[in-house]
Amino acid sequence: QVQLVQSGAEVKKPGASVRVSCKASGYTFSGYYINWVRQAPGQGPEWMGWIDPNSGGTNYAQKFQGRVTMTRDTSISTAYMELSRLRSDDMAVYYCVCGTGYWGQGTLVTVSS
Amino acid sequence: DIVLTQTPLSLSVTPGQPASISCKSSQSLLHTDGKTYLFWYLQKAGQSPQLLIYEGTNRFFGVPDRFSGSGSGTDFTLKISRVEAEDVGVYYCMQSIQLPPWTFGQGTKVEIK
């Protein structure tokens, strides 16, 4: 069965960067886009962008352009999302999503001085 | 960006009774490929969103048949024929016809009376 397992919770200081990983199993990794979605406390989901694991091509939401980088390592079926210059309002749970149907368990990123 | 407007924002339902949530889009979600890019998710407390309905009307794997999606163009409805205690949570509609970005409705909180 399709599974997406994300890395553990992170605590970062303002201005730092965070990298979240998403290891896929149960399907052909290169066959489906990986989307990244975040959800701030008490808020709805917010789409950040996607990566095509086959080509490495990416498409980022304008809001995150210049701060987000999505990459992948096909040899280990893992996608990564790095967000730089963290601010307090970046505190959220970050999810990877295969297509639209399969979500990782989420990674809580706390930004605090 | 496409705006999705959900109503109502909260719903209190007696077990065994039906429930209905509306999602209206600021633009048509019917693609030239014939598919409608409207999805429904349920997010239970402390969990990742789970896909219920894809392409407007199709139940995802393992979703009980008490859930159904209807609608076309800009107006969509999620119906629960007989609400059960396990159906509590926040329901979101989401569109992916226009990229970037995916956008989500505000969410509808469903609780049991």
Side-chain angles (χ1 to χ4, degrees), chain A residues 3-66:
Chain A
Q3 275 198 314
L4 300 172
V5 179
Q6 299 183 220
S7 48
E10 302 265 11
V11 179
K12 296 291 182 181
K13 293 190 184 304
S17 297
V18 68
R19 190 175 83 153
V20 178
S21 67
C22 171
K23 182 168 177 61
S25 61
Y27 73 100
T28 302
F29 179 64
S30 59
Y32 299 89
Y33 287 16
I34 294 286
N35 291 271
W36 288 90
V37 174
R38 76 177 188 179
Q39 189 170 28
Q43 303 298 309
E46 178 180 31
W47 182 81
M48 300 180 67
W50 55 247
I51 182 166
D52 176 356
N54 186 46
S55 66
T58 56
N59 191 347
Y60 303 143
Q62 187 171 13
K63 175 176 179 176
F64 302 102
Q65 293 271 1

Side-chain angles (χ1 to χ4, degrees), chain A residues 49-101:
Chain A
W50 55 247
I51 182 166
D52 176 356
N54 186 46
S55 66
T58 56
N59 191 347
Y60 303 143
Q62 187 171 13
K63 175 176 179 176
F64 302 102
Q65 293 271 1
R67 284 209 302 142
V68 71
T69 305
M70 296 176 188
T71 57
R72 92 292 190 215
D73 184 338
T74 55
S75 68
I76 55 172
S77 299
T78 300
Y80 303 92
M81 187 285 299
E82 182 168 9
L83 188 63
S84 63
R85 303 193 299 279
L86 288 169
R87 308 185 293 250
S88 58
D89 61 358
D90 290 318
M91 187 163 74
V93 176
Y94 289 75
Y95 296 100
C96 59
V97 189
C98 171
T100 57

Side-chain angles (χ1 to χ4, degrees), chain A residues 45 47, chain B residues 1-4 93-96 98 101-105:
Chain A
W47 182 81
Chain B
D1 294 358
I2 292 177
V3 175
L4 299 179
C93 56
M94 185 275 280
Q95 70 79 25
S96 66
Q98 187 183 77
W102 289 358
T103 51
F104 293 83

Side-chain angles (χ1 to χ4, degrees), chain B residues 87-102:
Chain B
D87 300 335
V88 299
V90 181
Y91 290 77
Y92 295 98
C93 56
M94 185 275 280
Q95 70 79 25
S96 66
I97 194 172
Q98 187 183 77
L99 280 177
W102 289 358

